Amino acid sequence: MKILGMISGTSHDGIDVALVDFALDGDVLTGRVLHTASTPYPAELRARLVAALPPAPVTLAEVCVLDTLIGQCFAEAAEAAAEQAGPADLIVSHGQTVFHWVEGAHARGTLQIGQPAWVAERTGSPVLSDVRIRDITAGGHGAPLVSVLDDLLLGGLLRDGHERGAAALNLGGISNMTVVRDGGLSAYDIGPANALIDAVVAGRGLNPRGFDEDGRIAASGQVDEHLLAVLLDEPYYRLAAPKSTGKELFHLAYVEAATAKAGREPSGPDLVATLTELTVRTVAADVAAAGVDVLVVSGGGCRNPVIMDGLRAALPGVRVSLSDELGAPADDKEAIAFALIGWLTAHGLPGTVPGGTGAKAARVLGTLTPGADPLVLPAPLPTPPRSLVLRR
C-alpha cells in the first residue's frame, strides 16, 4: 500500500513529503521509501503564517484564509509527488500546527490547519488529517506521534544488544525524544531545538533564510552563561514526562523577556550561541538521565554541527548517529512517520503508543476525506506489526 506522508513542522518553513510503499510479511512491516521532497512555503505565505502565530492576536478570518492557502500548498506538494513517483493509495496530511493548548501537565487541544479537501480534490486520493486530536481526547498530549515509528525502528537496536536502551531524538523547532527499553517506551517534548534560534535569526535579520545555516552564527559567538542560567530556569524543564510544548511558549518575546530578566543585551551571534547551548544542555541532560547507550538523531537541527558536536561532547558514553542508519533519512523521518500512521489507520490499528503520549490507551488516529472514488479500506488487522524495516 503506497502512502504519502506530509508535514510542516514547528519550524513552519515548508512541507516535507515521503511516499512509502508498505508491505506486511508475518509480523514484520517493510517500507520502501519511493520518494522524498521538501517544498518551501512561498515567502509571502510564510510571513503571513508567522505573523499569525502566538503570542500574536489573530482573527478567525485570517485563520480561514491561512487554512485555505496552506491547504492549497499541501495539495500542490502532493500533486508534485504524484507526478514524480506515481499516485498514492492514501495521503496523510498533518497540516500546519498553529496552536497546541497545554495547561500545566495536560494537553487540552491542538489545531492544525491546511484544509485536506484541497489535497483530495487535486490528487483524487483519500486524505487522512487531524491525526493528533484523538490522542488528546484519550488523555494524551497528541505528541510526539513519531514515537510509534521509533518504537518499531529502535526495537531492532535492543535486539542487537543495547541493553541500556536506545533513544530517538528529533531536533525540529521543538526537540522531542523517544526512549525504548525492554520494559517499554516513553516519549515527550524536551524543549526548544531550533525554535528560539530561528526566532532570533529572523527577528534580528542575521540570515535572510531565517535559520543558522551550518551553525555558523553560533560558532562566531560566545555563550553568555548568566543568560543561559536564566533560560535554564524555565519551569517546563522540571515537569515530569509525558509533556508537550511548542511556540505558544518558546517564541521571540520569550527570549526578549529572558534577556531583560538577565540584564543582558548580547550581540546577535552571542545570543544565537547561547540559545544553541540551551538546546545542547537541555537535550544532553535528558539523554543522560535516560541512561541509554544509543542516540539516533533526525530533524533540521542534526545539520547544525554546533549542536551535534555539543551533544557528542556532553554524552561521551553514548553513540550518537543519524536516523539514516535505520533507513529513515534524517530530513524526512517525520514525513515517513505520518505515512506509517496512515498505514496503521487504514488497517484499523492504533497510531500511538500510550507511553509515548501519556494517553490512557492507544487510539486509531485521524479523520478521512474521500478522494475521487468511493472510500475503500483494507481489511482490519488483528494485531500491529512487531517491527519495521525501511529501505530506499
Side-chain angles (χ1 to χ4, degrees):
M1 185 177 189
K2 295 180 181 179
I3 302 184
L4 182 69
M6 310 177 69
I7 180 173
S8 178
T10 48
S11 293
H12 52 260
D13 50 3
I15 302 164
D16 295 328
V17 306
L19 180 65
V20 185
D21 190 4
F22 290 103
L24 187 64
D25 183 8
D27 60 0
V28 177
L29 182 65
T30 61
R32 190 156 62 94
V33 182
L34 303 176
H35 172 77
T36 61
S38 183
T39 304
Y41 281 137
E44 182 179 345
L45 175 57
R46 184 171 191 268
R48 192 166 181 173
L49 170 61
V50 170
L53 292 175
V58 63
T59 65
L60 287 175
E62 184 67 0
V63 172
C64 180
V65 170
L66 288 171
D67 187 43
T68 292
L69 295 178
I70 292 171
Q72 290 171 341
C73 280
F74 270 77
E76 291 171 6
E79 184 179 48
E83 289 173 351
Q84 295 180 53
D89 299 308
L90 175 67
I91 295 172
V92 183
S93 182
H94 171 272
Q96 178 69 63
T97 297
V98 290
F99 197 79
H100 191 67
W101 180 18
V102 178
E103 291 181 351
H106 301 284
R108 303 297 188 188
T110 190
L111 179 62
Q112 288 75 44
I113 62 174
Q115 175 53 243
W118 291 103
V119 181
E121 183 68 24
R122 181 75 67 94
T123 64
S125 297
V127 179
L128 185 75
S129 60
D130 278 338
V131 292
R132 295 189 185 274
I133 188 61
R134 186 62 188 275
D135 182 75
I136 290 177
T137 66
H141 278 261
L145 291 185
V146 71
S147 59
V148 70
L149 172 64
D150 294 333
D151 187 33
L152 294 174
L153 286 178
L154 295 183
L157 293 179
L158 296 185
R159 289 189 291 275
D160 289 341
H162 297 287
E163 296 180 359
R164 291 197 300 158
L169 171 69
N170 180 62
L171 295 171
I174 300 298
S175 59
N176 60 65
M177 181 171 70
T178 303
V179 179
V180 178
R181 297 188 182 86
D182 286 337
L185 174 149
S186 62
Y188 61 96
D189 287 346
I190 296 172
N194 301 310
L196 298 183
I197 300 168
D198 292 351
V200 168
V201 170
R204 294 202 176 189
L206 300 178
N207 181 354
R209 299 186 68 183
F211 66 99
D212 186 9
E213 194 167 4
D214 297 324
R216 288 194 289 263
I217 300 172
S220 69
Q222 297 291 323
V223 174
D224 184 322
E225 292 290 346
H226 179 64
L227 173 58
L228 180 60
V230 171
L231 290 163
L232 286 169
D233 195 40
E234 165 57 49
Y236 176 80
Y237 303 129
R238 297 190 290 274
L239 292 176
K243 57 183 179 178
S244 62
T245 189
K247 291 190 174 179
E248 302 75 30
L249 175 60
F250 296 112
H251 45 68
L252 184 59
Y254 176 93
V255 178
E256 293 168 344
T259 57
K261 183 177 180 179
R264 294 291 207 257
E265 293 184 5
S267 68
D270 286 355
L271 184 52
V272 172
T274 303
L275 294 171
T276 302
E277 182 64 13
L278 173 68
T279 296
V280 171
R281 296 267 185 104
T282 53
V283 169
D286 281 22
V287 174
V292 298
D293 54 9
V294 175
L295 182 66
V296 181
V297 189
S298 62
C302 76
R303 305 305 181 190
N304 184 326
V306 178
I307 293 177
M308 295 301 291
D309 290 348
L311 289 175
R312 290 189 172 100
L315 299 165
V318 179
R319 180 168 71 84
V320 180
S321 63
L322 299 185
S323 62
D324 301 64
E325 293 186 11
L326 299 180
D331 295 324
D332 306 305
K333 184 184 168 193
E334 282 198 298
I336 292 170
F338 284 99
L340 171 64
I341 287 170
W343 185 88
L344 292 168
T345 293
H347 289 84
L349 296 170
T352 60
V353 181
T357 64
K360 60 187 177 184
R363 293 288 185 265
V364 179
L365 301 181
T367 302
L368 282 163
T369 301
D373 299 319
L375 184 61
V376 179
L377 296 177
L381 294 175
T383 57
R386 180 177 62 89
S387 61
L388 169 66
V389 177
L390 290 173
R391 299 190 178 95
R392 295 290 293 189

